[in-house]
Amino acid sequence: MQPVSRVSLKRKLLLWLLLPQLVLWLSGGFFAWRLALQNGEKGIDQTLTQSVRGLARQIKPIGDGLLVDFPKAAQDLLEQDPADRITYMVSSPPGKFLLGNAQLPPPPPVSVRVGEPLLYQARLEGKTVRVALLDVDYGTPQARQTLRVQVAQSLAVRQRIAQELLAKMLLPMGLMGLALSALVYAGVLRGLQPLKRLEAQIEQAGARPHGGADPLLPIELTSAPQEVHSLARTINGLLEAVASGQQKEKRFLNDAAHQLRTPLAGLIAQTELALHESQEPAVRERLEKVLSAARRSAHLVHQLLQLARSEASVEMQPLDLAALAREVARDWAGRALALGTDLGYEGDEQRIVQGQPLLLREALNNLIDNALHYAGPGATVTVHVSAGPNGWAELVVEDDGPGVAQQHFADLFSRFWRGSDQAGGCGLGLSIVEEIALRHGGRAVAEPVRPHGLRAGLKLPLT
């Protein structure tokens, strides 16, 4: 089994769009820095070349000697800035110090052509400097000599120029990068909106809509992106197959229950007639067992019919839930009196909800029947209708019988689960209540009553 990727499509898109942008931005900053250094070095080379030529012109040969016309003021001007210091050295022959800074480093071992400046880098007093060198011939033709002039400048100015240029370039580049990232993020979100709508449609299609006629809704291909049309069509086919299976299951359940009602009714009638005519104790005992089993089967068929009806489409209408509850309680008063149970109503005089009267009546019938059956003789059963918190109307039936153990509360609304082995129940009553509550946009509730008893019912949205 392959591991499931937990990285969302949005994160993957943002990663593959923003990561190259970051790499390009960093690369652009690096190349901007290199360009600034090159431009700074080019400017320094031009300055040094002019300086070395100008200084060479100030040294004039006189016979076999030299006249250095380089005033002290010019020397101080060259060396006044320690951070951007320009220093020089004059030697003749090359390498034999005459004037300037004797610590100026010699050139690299390359051929130097007379009259053409040579530029190179060196270290002076622990700092990197750029040096311009120029060899000049002087003297008589019989006694030719060479004069070497060197001018050096610290690269601090180049670093400063590069930093200033980089700062001026990186700020707009950073702002442009942030703006582009924001546009990419907004574009990804907007581009994924059709997928979000498709996701919502799939969730809606898989849900059971409350009160809707179709349990499974197909996905609209017009709102799905072109790239996922094949996926949407496959899901639609699956939903159609599931919907068809559900319809066949409901139709079979409904038809089977209808087909069983008539023979069971005949079996009950014939068994009651046989009990009335028979006087043999052994025969009567067997007939009573047959009658009990037939009535239990008939009750199960009735419950299955109600379950199939509750899962069909529901047409809502305004109704008074309190009036409906009082009417149903009056209908059960006779049976409650025969069982020795006190059945009554407490709650609001009027409570309007949107609902289907037949289904809500069936839900309340199941609640009261369940309470009378399991509470036992001498118990008190009360029907409540009230407005609960957060816009809910509550329809509950409360009894003071033995109740249900806490560990079984999760099974109360499960199909065919029974709280005891007493005859007469089939385990579908509360399941039908829950289904009817869901079809009305509500939910089924159950909670224990202190010191003993059970409170079960349903919550419906108020009008």
Side-chain angles (χ1 to χ4, degrees), residues 262-315:
T262 300
L264 284 174
L267 177 61
I268 292 173
Q270 293 297 325
T271 305
E272 290 176 344
L273 182 61
L275 274 172
H276 181 71
E277 294 177 352
S278 176
Q279 301 298 327
E280 294 289 335
V283 175
R284 288 182 62 85
E285 181 180 358
R286 291 185 176 88
L287 289 175
E288 286 175 355
K289 291 182 179 180
V290 172
L291 180 60
S292 176
R295 286 175 176 171
R296 188 163 56 251
S297 299
H299 180 68
L300 176 61
V301 169
H302 174 75
Q303 295 283 59
L304 290 174
L305 276 174
Q306 295 302 324
L307 187 60
R309 188 178 296 120
S310 69
E311 292 179 347
S313 61
V314 177
E315 295 183 2

Side-chain angles (χ1 to χ4, degrees), residues 50 61 78 85 101-102 117 125 132 134 137 158 181 199 218 228 253 286 299 362-363 368 385 414 416 427 434 439 455:
Q50 294 174 1
L78 286 174
R85 187 175 182 180
N101 189 347
E125 298 177 356
L134 179 64
D137 286 342
R158 185 187 73 159
S181 299
E199 179 184 358
V228 296
L253 180 61
R286 291 185 176 88
H299 180 68
E362 183 61 29
I368 295 177
V385 172
S414 301
F416 300 106
E434 182 180 41
R439 301 299 288 179
R455 178 184 173 91

Side-chain angles (χ1 to χ4, degrees), residues 166-298:
L166 187 63
K168 292 179 180 179
M169 294 180 62
L170 287 184
L171 180 60
M173 287 177 61
L175 294 177
M176 290 176 59
L178 291 177
L180 182 59
S181 299
L183 291 176
V184 168
Y185 185 78
V188 169
L189 291 183
R190 186 173 182 83
L192 291 179
Q193 283 181 355
L195 289 180
K196 288 290 184 182
R197 290 195 294 268
L198 177 63
E199 179 184 358
Q201 287 190 27
I202 294 175
E203 291 179 354
Q204 182 181 6
R208 296 175 60 88
H210 306 306
D214 298 324
L216 296 174
L217 302 178
I219 298 171
E220 296 181 7
L221 293 179
T222 55
S223 63
Q226 185 68 32
E227 291 78 6
V228 296
H229 272 197
S230 59
L231 173 62
R233 282 192 292 267
T234 303
I235 295 177
N236 281 342
L238 176 62
L239 293 178
E240 290 177 2
V242 174
S244 175
Q246 288 181 339
Q247 292 298 327
K248 290 179 180 179
E249 179 185 353
K250 292 178 182 178
R251 192 180 304 113
F252 170 76
L253 180 61
N254 203 3
D255 293 344
H258 273 293
Q259 293 296 326
L260 288 173
R261 291 183 68 179
T262 300
L264 284 174
L267 177 61
I268 292 173
Q270 293 297 325
T271 305
E272 290 176 344
L273 182 61
L275 274 172
H276 181 71
E277 294 177 352
S278 176
Q279 301 298 327
E280 294 289 335
V283 175
R284 288 182 62 85
E285 181 180 358
R286 291 185 176 88
L287 289 175
E288 286 175 355
K289 291 182 179 180
V290 172
L291 180 60
S292 176
R295 286 175 176 171
R296 188 163 56 251
S297 299

Side-chain angles (χ1 to χ4, degrees), residues 45-113:
D45 289 348
Q46 291 177 352
T47 301
L48 291 175
T49 302
Q50 294 174 1
S51 298
V52 77
R53 288 184 182 277
L55 182 58
R57 284 194 296 268
Q58 302 302 318
I59 304 173
K60 301 170 183 163
I62 299 178
D64 293 337
L66 294 173
L67 172 63
V68 180
D69 187 11
F70 193 53
K72 183 71 167 57
Q75 181 180 355
D76 294 340
L77 184 64
L78 286 174
E79 301 180 353
Q80 67 178 353
D81 187 1
D84 189 18
R85 187 175 182 180
I86 299 178
T87 186
Y88 68 95
M89 186 178 77
V90 179
S91 58
S92 180
K96 186 177 180 181
F97 175 76
L98 291 179
L99 183 67
N101 189 347
Q103 297 180 359
L104 208 61
V110 296
S111 62
V112 180
R113 300 180 65 179

